[in-house]
Amino acid sequence: MWTDPATGLDRLARQMNDYWQLAVSEYWPRLRSLLEADVVHRARRLADGGPTSLFTDLAPSVSWHDDRLTIVHPRFAGHRQLDGEGLLLVPSAFVWPTVFSSTMPPWQPTLTYPARGVATLWGKQTTATAPALERVIGRSRTRLLLELDAPASTTELAYRTGLTPGAVSQHLGLLRSAGLVGASRSGRLVLYFRTDASDKLLTEVHD
């Protein structure tokens, strides 16, 4: 590759594409839904509570205090003043349970962290129940609210619950009209999330 960069780069690109097709492409819709959901979640945290809220549950090794972001690395120590460059947050399904940071100039300072919900990426069933709420709004709608602990798409919710995408869409529409579910569009993907009202409702029925 060093002696013939053009040929080496072409070979590397083909190998990366082969790996993508073999190991990732089949699962990408689910992975992308998880990552997009984390972006929506982080945006809401930042809007609701600023940087403190944004970083509180991002990873155990990450903390925000006195306008300073601290990332604990086992084999690296240093300090980087951003000076208006900003910090790019990159959720990933492949870095749990640690984080990776890149602060070397001239590249954009970046923090790659485990996407929220990655531990349940392949799970279909939920163990949480809310019998009292089920008697009021029905089992399927209660199940959907419980599954929306993190934002999710219609396809993802259908996979988790065993409901058809059409049934999920219908239930979400009714929940949304009741103010219990909100939606955020990212390109062609629509992610649904619980509102403060539904969070409070679920907290009260579990207490």
Side-chain angles (χ1 to χ4, degrees):
M1 180 177 290
W2 294 107
T3 58
D4 188 359
T7 301
L9 183 60
D10 182 66
R11 179 183 176 187
L12 177 61
R14 289 198 307 270
Q15 289 178 339
M16 292 178 65
N17 182 69
D18 289 344
Y19 177 80
W20 165 270
Q21 296 298 334
L22 179 66
V24 181
S25 61
E26 179 181 353
Y27 311 107
W28 178 241
R30 299 205 67 214
L31 290 166
R32 178 180 176 182
S33 179
L34 179 79
L35 301 178
E36 295 280 7
D38 188 273
V39 171
V40 172
H41 172 73
R42 295 295 157 197
R44 292 183 67 199
R45 298 275 295 191
L46 180 62
D48 290 342
T52 300
S53 179
L54 171 65
F55 292 111
T56 293
D57 65 342
L58 192 141
S61 58
V62 177
S63 61
W64 176 269
H65 184 66
D66 290 337
D67 294 333
R68 181 190 298 268
L69 181 67
T70 300
I71 306 168
V72 179
H73 288 297
R75 294 178 297 274
F76 175 79
H79 176 265
R80 173 72 186 273
Q81 187 74 29
L82 295 181
D83 293 325
E85 291 180 86
L87 178 66
L88 179 64
L89 299 181
V90 181
S92 173
F94 302 107
V95 300
W96 185 91
T98 188
V99 301
F100 293 92
S101 60
S102 176
T103 58
M104 298 291 291
W107 295 282
Q108 169 73 48
T110 302
L111 174 61
T112 302
Y113 63 93
R116 187 169 180 261
V118 69
T120 60
L121 184 60
W122 310 114
K124 286 188 177 182
Q125 302 297 324
T126 180
T127 57
T129 59
L133 186 59
E134 288 180 6
R135 291 192 289 270
V136 178
I137 68 173
R139 178 175 298 178
S140 294
R141 291 167 200 162
T142 300
R143 174 74 181 276
L144 290 172
L145 286 181
L146 292 169
E147 290 290 349
L148 286 175
D149 184 54
S153 66
T154 299
T155 302
E156 176 67 14
L157 290 169
Y159 175 86
R160 293 187 202 167
T161 62
L163 298 170
T164 66
V168 170
S169 181
Q170 182 178 17
H171 288 309
L172 289 174
L174 292 170
L175 290 169
R176 191 175 181 185
S177 66
L180 298 177
V181 165
S184 176
R185 178 175 291 277
S186 177
R188 292 182 296 177
L189 185 67
V190 178
L191 296 171
Y192 295 89
F193 55 87
R194 290 201 304 246
T195 62
D196 292 340
S198 58
D199 280 338
K200 183 178 180 181
L201 179 62
L202 288 172
T203 299
E204 290 177 348
V205 297
H206 279 301
D207 290 342

